[in-house]
Amino acid sequence: MQLQNVFHGGYTHGSRDFVNRTIRDRIEAYDFTSSYPYEMLVEKYPCEKFWPADEGMTISDILTYSDDYAFFFELVADEVRLKDLGEQMPVLQASKCIQSINAIVDNGRILKATFVDIWLTEQDLIMIAEQYDFGVYRLRNVQCA
């Protein structure tokens, strides 16, 4: 169930600058072939069972060890806010939250919330830490490989 919470849903997003507007200019789309075979050859992947990490791990700990270890965990945070409201592709997905309170959501992405509870990987956290600030947070059920 934990892994289902971590990996459910895809990553799609439209530009919020064009929501509820009719675009009459030329519209273009760019698609690329799968990079999956390439990624399987050149990137690192966990090669063992996950084990419980030490209690009290911080965001900084996970970011520090993310090159050598894989993690999945539950992030519980209050006073979540986007660092730059001009961010075109906020990464914190409202649909993946177990719970959110007073979330201001734009096109499925959280811009600000009083509280969020969400399962993540270290790769998710790398992007979220770049884009968001938190008041108080806690990492729970941290698993490492």
Side-chain angles (χ1 to χ4, degrees):
M1 187 53 104
Q2 291 173 338
L3 291 174
Q4 184 175 337
N5 287 331
V6 171
F7 293 111
H8 83 277
Y11 186 82
T12 59
H13 185 69
S15 174
R16 62 190 195 172
D17 290 335
F18 298 102
V19 173
N20 293 327
R21 283 182 49 197
T22 301
I23 301 171
R24 301 199 185 280
D25 297 335
R26 181 176 170 187
I27 298 173
E28 295 182 20
Y30 178 75
D31 196 5
F32 55 90
T33 59
S34 176
S35 58
Y36 181 77
Y38 170 80
E39 296 293 324
M40 291 300 293
L41 291 173
V42 300
E43 296 297 338
K44 297 178 185 178
Y45 292 94
C47 297
E48 60 189 356
K49 289 184 178 182
F50 281 81
W51 69 87
D54 295 336
E55 290 289 322
M57 288 202 72
T58 65
I59 289 174
S60 179
D61 294 335
I62 290 183
L63 296 177
T64 298
Y65 297 120
S66 65
D67 281 343
D68 297 317
Y69 295 92
F71 294 91
F72 70 89
F73 53 91
E74 185 178 4
L75 169 67
V76 178
D78 71 1
E79 301 306 323
V80 177
R81 59 201 169 279
L82 199 56
K83 291 177 182 178
D84 176 8
L85 286 175
E87 177 64 53
Q88 292 296 305
M89 296 288 284
V91 295
L92 192 54
Q93 296 175 252
S95 65
K96 291 191 73 165
C97 290
I98 295 170
Q99 182 181 17
S100 64
I101 298 174
N102 298 328
I104 297 174
V105 178
D106 181 16
N107 201 15
R109 304 308 171 126
I110 294 177
L111 305 180
K112 183 178 180 181
T114 303
F115 174 86
V116 297
D117 184 349
I118 187 170
W119 282 85
L120 304 169
T121 68
E122 81 283 355
Q123 297 303 311
D124 299 322
L125 185 63
I126 290 168
M127 294 183 291
I128 288 169
E130 287 178 8
Q131 293 185 0
Y132 291 86
D133 285 320
F134 309 107
V136 176
Y137 74 89
R138 182 171 173 223
L139 304 181
R140 300 192 310 195
N141 304 307
V142 179
Q143 299 287 313
C144 179

